[in-house]
Amino acid sequence: MEASRGLEIEKKYDVDTAAEVPALEQAPGVARTGKPHTDLLEAVYFDTPKHGLAARRITLRRRTGGKDAGWHLKLPPQGAAAGESPQHRTELHAPLGRPDVVPDSLLTHLHAYLRGTVPAPVVRLETRRTTYPLYGEDGVHLADLADDHVTAARLEDGPDAPRQEWREWELELVHGDPGLFVPVEELLTAAGARPAGHASKLARALGSGTKAGKRVAARAGTAAGEEAPGDAGGAESSSALLAGKRAPAAAVVTVYVAAQIDQILARDADVRNEEPDAVHAMRSATRRIRSVLAAYGRLYRASPVRKLRSELKWLGQLLGQPRDAEVLGKQLREQLGALPPGEGIAGATSSVEQRTGSDYDAAYRLLREALGSARYFRLLDKLEDFRDNPPVRAEAVTPGRRAAAKAVDKAAKRLRRSHKAVKRARRGREEELALHRVRKDAKRLRHVAESAALVHGKRAGKVVKAAHRQQKILGRFQDAVVARDLLAAIAADYSDPATAAIYADLLNQQEERMLAAKAGSRKAWKKSRDLLGHGVI
């Protein structure tokens, strides 16, 4: 059974036990407050032994009582900083099921973070919640204010562990606009509320003074940029550094790579579930990291970067196989569908569907196996370690603008050499391989220019567009080459004249597409040759 999905938008406030809930209907836009109702809730929170979920602002719990009893998984928005308020979080629900078994519909979203570990109970919360519904003039249910009296116990500390008690208010939008937070917050603040000192009840229950809480705070702090290791710093602190002209080069790389790691982690569950474009998005993220590590390699110790690039290549190849089969199948399906009805169409369509479908299924099977492997989980660990503790050379304190400009120039020079190689190549396979190299080098230039855009702005953005244009055109060329080779292999097994004629027609189409792409590539290169000359940015 699939998990139900929703978006949670809320703000939390710490409040003393003696505080009284204000007259919320006094807030502009609130017409009346509905009759309050009280629920007794019990929630057991699950995490890894090192609290890897809590450190990433991920909450997994099983809650009984109230109208939404069941398993709840809360995921932070991609790239969000810890402590962001109001909170926008994706929330997934599943039925209660067994108390000790996390539903598969939720577990599939956690494999990239659990990395082979099994989540276990870490905290039990008992909450006496009184909910005050807020309504607008037209009767729309705008929001709920939850007045929570909480008792928490850390299950890891054993049955005799001290219990914590506190009170908090939680304002969550239902159908209201986020603008409602401001006037309601003024009323709550006047009644004694303070912005919550913790992002969640779980974070407060773990406590900053405990070993568990320190682990969570350290991990979340690094992700939020509260620490700046070495020259690069954490992702968010680097973002602040990039605002100035003296941003260090490793900070440029850290910010760019951090965004791609976020993409890989966010797409992991979608790839497992075969969601549209998920494989393409994850594959692109791996390629972007590889391109940037190659371009800025001199900033880092060679061995860790070489190993990281090698493992990213392994993952990229596994992602590429089902993606290529998917693209090829779609392309040939469209071309067959555009042919006039006639004898041989059905046989050719069946053969193409069978071949591309079996290739896709086999490739996806290998990909799923890899995503459950220790090798993949080690790669994710290494990526996060590179982001949080970049292996910067002690002497490599280089200004980011200078390093980025140099990296783009080098990538552009590489692309210019590839274009010259095409002119020297003999027609046929040699020329096809040379054009494929142009495409790959255009892609690398695009990725490096994307990183440079963090400190060079519009000029680098123009390079990104020019490189992408060439990459896209030559992508069509490569797709036609792969389709031609597949069609030739399938056609060799058929002697039926009608079906053979269909294959001959399709093969001619591939040749025409290749010629058109070559012409388009030459035209695009002429337009961008001055931009991608010496001293690109």
Side-chain angles (χ1 to χ4, degrees), residues 143-485:
D144 286 328
L145 179 73
D147 181 7
D148 291 346
H149 294 259
V150 186
T151 302
R154 290 193 297 270
L155 301 177
E156 302 162 303
D157 296 341
D160 299 328
R163 294 161 71 85
Q164 304 173 61
E165 294 186 5
W166 72 86
R167 184 185 180 196
E168 68 181 43
W169 288 342
E170 184 178 291
L171 181 63
E172 181 175 357
L173 294 184
V174 180
H175 300 296
D177 185 271
L180 183 67
F181 280 112
V182 175
V184 174
E185 184 171 283
E186 290 177 356
L187 291 175
L188 299 179
T189 301
R194 308 171 297 280
H198 297 81
S200 66
K201 291 181 175 68
L202 174 61
R204 180 160 184 172
L206 290 174
S208 59
T210 65
K211 288 184 179 180
K214 288 177 181 177
R215 281 197 297 265
V216 172
R219 186 70 173 270
T222 302
E226 294 172 10
E227 300 178 3
D231 178 37
E236 295 296 327
S237 61
S238 296
S239 295
L241 286 172
L242 295 183
K245 292 185 177 181
R246 301 187 60 165
V252 175
V253 179
T254 298
V255 170
Y256 187 78
V257 168
Q260 308 313 316
I261 295 172
D262 283 348
Q263 184 70 214
I264 291 172
L265 295 174
R267 289 294 188 171
D268 178 275
D270 292 338
V271 171
R272 295 174 191 274
N273 291 330
E274 290 193 55
E275 296 292 339
D277 292 327
V279 168
H280 174 63
M282 185 185 278
R283 183 191 190 188
S284 296
T286 64
R287 283 175 164 170
R288 282 179 162 89
I289 299 175
R290 287 181 62 211
S291 295
V292 168
L293 291 182
Y296 296 90
R298 291 186 179 182
L299 298 174
Y300 304 97
R301 297 195 305 274
S303 179
V305 169
R306 183 174 61 250
K307 291 176 182 176
L308 194 53
R309 288 184 63 205
S310 175
E311 291 302 279
L312 285 166
K313 183 177 181 180
W314 163 75
L315 178 59
Q317 288 173 339
L318 284 165
L319 290 162
Q321 291 168 6
R323 173 63 181 173
D324 292 345
E326 180 182 36
V327 170
L328 181 59
K330 181 181 178 183
Q331 174 187 327
L332 293 177
R333 200 176 301 120
E334 290 174 352
Q335 291 176 0
L336 282 161
L339 293 176
E343 191 178 352
I345 291 285
T349 301
S350 175
S351 297
V352 166
E353 290 282 3
Q354 184 177 0
R355 178 66 176 269
T356 57
S358 62
D359 288 349
Y360 173 85
D361 292 341
Y364 225 106
R365 190 161 51 249
L366 291 175
L367 176 59
R368 279 205 183 92
E369 290 174 4
L371 294 184
S373 69
R375 183 177 181 179
Y376 172 63
F377 296 143
R378 282 196 302 269
L379 171 57
L380 297 182
D381 287 339
K382 288 177 181 177
L383 284 169
E384 290 185 326
D385 187 55
F386 179 90
R387 177 196 64 198
D388 300 336
N389 306 290
V392 181
R393 294 179 187 272
E395 70 278 9
V397 183
T398 308
R401 285 176 62 84
R402 185 195 307 166
K406 187 175 180 180
V408 172
D409 281 345
K410 187 176 180 180
K413 183 178 180 181
R414 185 187 182 104
L415 179 60
R416 292 196 299 271
R417 286 200 304 264
S418 296
H419 272 283
K420 289 179 181 178
V422 171
K423 293 180 179 179
R424 296 193 301 267
R426 289 174 295 182
R427 293 192 65 179
R429 185 63 70 178
E430 184 177 323
E431 183 186 44
E432 291 167 9
L433 291 173
L435 287 168
H436 187 46
R437 169 52 60 187
V438 171
R439 179 193 176 212
K440 292 170 71 173
D441 288 342
K443 191 179 299 182
R444 174 181 284 196
L445 174 59
R446 174 192 173 192
H447 298 159
V448 176
E450 285 173 351
S451 72
L454 296 170
V455 286
H456 282 283
K458 291 182 179 179
R459 177 69 178 180
K462 290 180 180 179
V463 176
V464 171
K465 289 181 180 178
H468 186 210
R469 198 157 43 237
Q470 292 183 58
Q471 173 196 333
K472 192 172 181 180
I473 292 169
L474 289 176
R476 293 196 290 269
F477 178 86
Q478 184 62 22
D479 288 346
V481 170
V482 174
R484 179 202 63 193
D485 293 346

Side-chain angles (χ1 to χ4, degrees), residues 68-92:
D68 62 346
W71 286 88
H72 302 165
L73 174 61
K74 296 184 180 182
L75 301 167
Q78 186 177 326
E84 183 182 41
S85 186
Q87 294 179 343
H88 292 62
R89 306 180 76 188
T90 298
E91 185 167 355
L92 303 173

Side-chain angles (χ1 to χ4, degrees), residues 467-535:
H468 186 210
R469 198 157 43 237
Q470 292 183 58
Q471 173 196 333
K472 192 172 181 180
I473 292 169
L474 289 176
R476 293 196 290 269
F477 178 86
Q478 184 62 22
D479 288 346
V481 170
V482 174
R484 179 202 63 193
D485 293 346
L486 177 73
L487 289 167
I490 297 176
D493 295 332
Y494 281 86
S495 57
D496 174 61
T499 306
I502 297 297
Y503 285 128
D505 193 337
L506 291 175
L507 285 166
N508 285 334
Q509 288 189 42
Q510 310 319 311
E511 295 295 338
E512 290 171 2
R513 288 165 66 89
M514 290 162 62
L515 289 171
K518 283 166 60 177
S521 174
R522 288 193 294 269
K523 186 176 180 180
W525 178 243
K526 286 179 181 178
K527 283 186 176 181
S528 60
R529 192 161 43 196
D530 291 341
L531 173 66
L532 302 182
H534 298 284

Side-chain angles (χ1 to χ4, degrees), residues 61-109:
R61 73 185 178 203
R62 183 181 185 271
R63 188 164 76 186
T64 56
K67 61 182 180 180
D68 62 346
W71 286 88
H72 302 165
L73 174 61
K74 296 184 180 182
L75 301 167
Q78 186 177 326
E84 183 182 41
S85 186
Q87 294 179 343
H88 292 62
R89 306 180 76 188
T90 298
E91 185 167 355
L92 303 173
H93 289 186
L96 279 170
R98 290 174 53 182
D100 57 343
V101 178
V102 181
D104 287 341
S105 60
L106 302 185
L107 203 56
T108 190
H109 294 271

